[in-house]
Amino acid sequence: MTASAWKPLEIRPEGIAPSAQGLVEYLRDRTDFADVLTREKAVVFRGFHVAEQELEAVMDLLLPNRLSYLHGTSPRTKVGANVYTSTEYPPEETISMHNELSYSHEWPSRLFFYCATAPATGGATPVVDGGLWLDSLDPEVREAYAGGLRYIQNLHDGLGLGRSWKEAFETEDREAVESFLDAGQADWKWLPDGTLRIISQVQPATIKHPVTGTEVWFNQSDQFHPAALGDEVAAELAQIMPPEELPQSVSFADGSPIPDEYVLQVRDRGLAAAVNVDWYEGDLMVIDNVAVGHGRRPFTGDRRVLVAMSG
């Protein structure tokens, strides 16, 4: 199977009112949407002209158990009940392919995207079939990753690089954070300056889809690895700071470093195998977060894409 052999299913309002209410009625009649999403891996709804204030009714049908973005690493703003802006990186940067929260012990099964404002140019959300991504990697890379990964995070107390632990866990309650981390068997400690250092329990590089059994690439090693940092300042910091002091870093499960060329291969081949989903105002997309990785292409102009997730 080649990268072009898979693409998301597109649903347009043919025989359906081109409105939020039309989409709601369509979804109420589609009691098999979970099966459709498992089969198609990603579904795009175009031409329904859903306004932002109409989102709630649609999300209630597509995300049966909406989750908060706990343990999230990317900068985003909460704009509603477990609804967030997409990652707020500079528009000229590419966000590489990843499965949401795959470094954590809890990850969502579905992701929801909504375009409130379309970019002037670019800004597509690329999506990649996780099985194709895995197949695209050299055998030596797949073998090297087979033992799993260990992620390290340093979440400051309000002043520092990256996100604070209060932002990442949406709380100021240290005990609530500790309970979450203990549930994932992570090693953690509070540093004297209030920083929370997290060393994850070994996480897999691949997993099998819970319904189809397909093995897929499922990790965020390239986004945690200094070699893949696109920002010049971040890359310079990686040259002068040990990995365990960076906002985030990653190693193989035994603590040995991941070669730069492996990480760059993972990043580049994931992007190369991806299919771009371009955005028009009022469009929506739902993806299976295990079957499919996602990212972001660079853009110009204003781009406002909202995201939500469910278990």
Side-chain angles (χ1 to χ4, degrees), residues 273-309:
V275 177
N276 285 338
V277 175
D278 294 311
W279 288 115
Y280 303 93
E281 193 167 310
D283 284 354
L284 308 97
M285 177 169 65
V286 180
I287 68 173
D288 181 320
N289 185 48
V290 175
V292 171
H294 68 282
R296 191 202 71 189
R297 301 293 186 185
F299 65 94
T300 63
D302 294 327
R303 177 187 188 271
R304 178 176 166 83
V305 173
L306 304 182
V307 298
M309 55 198 76

Side-chain angles (χ1 to χ4, degrees), residues 114-192:
Y114 165 75
C115 180
T117 305
T121 64
T125 294
V127 288
V128 63
D129 181 313
L132 289 174
W133 192 2
L134 175 61
D135 291 344
S136 76
L137 302 174
D138 292 351
E140 67 174 305
V141 173
R142 296 200 299 268
E143 183 177 348
Y145 273 80
L149 300 163
R150 194 179 296 278
Y151 301 94
I152 300 175
Q153 295 171 272
N154 288 292
L155 302 173
H156 60 77
D157 195 33
L159 186 63
L161 297 169
R163 301 190 94 201
S164 72
W165 62 266
K166 296 171 186 175
E167 292 171 317
F169 292 98
E170 297 186 8
T171 183
E172 297 188 7
D173 184 345
R174 285 192 175 199
E175 289 187 2
V177 175
E178 293 167 2
S179 295
F180 178 89
L181 296 173
D182 287 342
Q185 298 181 300
D187 291 329
W188 55 267
K189 64 179 177 180
W190 298 100
L191 303 184

Side-chain angles (χ1 to χ4, degrees), residues 67 100-101 106-111 218 288-290 309-311:
L67 303 174
E100 204 64 49
L101 293 169
E106 289 187 3
W107 54 76
S109 61
R110 290 184 190 181
L111 297 185
F218 191 81
D288 181 320
N289 185 48
V290 175
M309 55 198 76
S310 70

